[in-house]
Amino acid sequence: MFSSPDLTTVKLQWQQDLQVASQECNIHDIAVVSPTEMLVCDYVQYKVKLVDSTAGGVVASVTVPGGPFSICLLSEGMVAVSLSGKKVQFIKVGHGSLTRNKVLKVDTYIDGITALDTCLVTSSTAPPCVVMMSMDGKVMHTLDNQKAGRELFKKPYFLTSSRNRYIYVTDLKTNAVTKLDNKLNVLTTFTDPSLQNIKGITSISRDQLLVCSQGNHSIVLLNPRTGNMTVLLGKQDGLKEPRALTYCHTQRKLFLAPLDITTHIQVYTLV
């Protein structure tokens, strides 16, 4: 089991950008799948790519039946990818290979996707809601504004799950991160001036979440236990509209995908 660093006590140092494509692509999400490999969702080319996270370059790729928006890790080398057209694509990740598995058709458009226990949890912006479903698509819980009894969501974009079985949802329009339990009950909503047009989110440890604040070109550290927020990286560090992020515990590196069309992602090492 890896140990998680206290990000309030370390510095993030920029390294050379990592090449993830030979031609420009629109990266919607990224995810570390091994100490030396990561997955990249190329929305425009309808591809999911396996990338060498140490040296760069595409190791393998697979074409999917829709624009891949977000990705989450499952057990036994499987991942789930949300696609345009109300679909979820399951992909098997092998040693340097990707193999398409089943496609799951769902009732609503999906943006973000994460896994909790043996379930998928998805976010949707049209209509704004969060849904928990089984791996075969059976809806178990739904959270929308009607159930919340207030305008909780406007544009819930990305979400992540933590080791202590909570779900965190970012909302692009309300500039808030909402904490949910494992049945999609609302526990807390976090807001702060440092959160502007927020998108990607990832859980580093029980008390450390990293959030892409696209509106002010920064990465914000959120402690969900205290509610404290700290800007770790900003425009002065070379950031421009970060869309998605992932962290490799083995390499102690943070990988960031920008909003722009690009062939590279940014890499920062903990020092």
Side-chain angles (χ1 to χ4, degrees):
M1 177 64 70
F2 52 76
S3 59
S4 300
D6 181 354
L7 296 182
T8 62
T9 63
V10 299
K11 292 184 179 180
L12 289 164
Q13 180 175 305
W14 175 80
Q15 286 198 325
Q16 184 176 354
D17 289 353
L18 187 74
Q19 183 176 356
V20 297
S22 58
Q23 58 183 337
E24 291 189 336
C25 59
N26 192 343
I27 302 170
H28 267 237
D29 203 6
I30 51 180
V32 167
V33 290
S34 79
T36 60
E37 292 176 326
M38 63 189 301
L39 289 171
V40 174
C41 290
D42 185 345
Y43 190 83
V44 173
Q45 295 183 24
Y46 281 30
K47 288 183 180 294
V48 176
K49 300 173 181 178
L50 185 65
V51 171
D52 185 326
S53 61
T54 59
V58 177
V59 177
S61 67
V62 63
T63 301
V64 291
F69 190 96
S70 184
I71 192 165
C72 70
L73 308 184
L74 307 176
S75 60
E76 300 178 353
M78 294 290 293
V79 300
V81 183
S82 61
L83 305 180
S84 59
K86 301 180 181 180
K87 300 184 187 78
V88 175
Q89 174 75 66
F90 293 88
I91 298 174
K92 178 73 173 180
V93 183
H95 296 291
S97 67
L98 297 176
T99 305
R100 277 180 52 185
N101 201 287
K102 68 177 181 179
V103 175
L104 178 66
K105 295 184 179 181
V106 294
D107 294 332
T108 60
Y109 291 101
I110 297 177
D111 297 296
I113 190 168
T114 192
L116 185 69
D117 300 327
T118 59
C119 299
L120 296 174
V121 185
T122 64
S123 60
S124 174
T125 59
C129 64
V130 173
V131 175
M132 178 178 286
M133 67 183 77
S134 64
M135 292 293 170
D136 59 4
K138 180 181 178 181
V139 174
M140 302 167 67
H141 303 286
T142 300
L143 175 63
D144 55 19
N145 291 335
Q146 181 177 359
K147 184 175 180 180
R150 57 189 173 95
E151 192 177 52
L152 177 66
F153 298 129
K154 287 187 178 180
K155 204 168 186 179
Y157 236 65
F158 283 92
L159 34 67
T160 190
S161 56
S162 64
R163 284 184 235 165
N164 45 350
R165 303 176 70 238
Y166 294 116
I167 301 159
Y168 298 90
V169 187
T170 64
D171 195 298
L172 181 66
K173 292 299 183 182
T174 65
N175 299 319
V177 177
T178 300
K179 178 180 179 180
L180 310 175
D181 68 11
N182 60 356
K183 293 183 179 179
L184 303 190
N185 295 306
V186 179
L187 300 177
T188 314
T189 298
F190 303 99
T191 58
D192 189 83
S194 64
L195 299 179
Q196 296 180 21
N197 295 79
I198 52 177
K199 284 198 170 179
I201 184 170
T202 190
S203 174
I204 302 299
S205 65
R206 289 172 179 261
D207 295 327
Q208 295 186 105
L209 301 168
L210 292 180
V211 185
C212 289
S213 184
Q214 181 181 297
N216 56 11
H217 314 282
S218 65
I219 301 299
V220 177
L221 172 65
L222 165 61
N223 183 325
R225 179 174 54 83
T226 64
N228 292 338
M229 299 193 201
T230 306
V231 176
L232 295 184
L233 294 170
K235 200 170 185 178
Q236 71 278 5
D237 301 298
L239 289 192
K240 182 182 179 183
E241 296 183 312
R243 169 187 274 159
L245 76 170
T246 188
Y247 177 73
C248 179
H249 287 272
T250 304
Q251 296 187 48
R252 288 173 60 88
K253 290 180 180 179
L254 181 65
F255 299 93
L256 303 174
L259 181 67
D260 291 341
I261 302 296
T262 185
T263 58
H264 292 71
I265 61 174
Q266 292 178 297
V267 185
Y268 291 85
T269 301
L270 273 64
V271 294

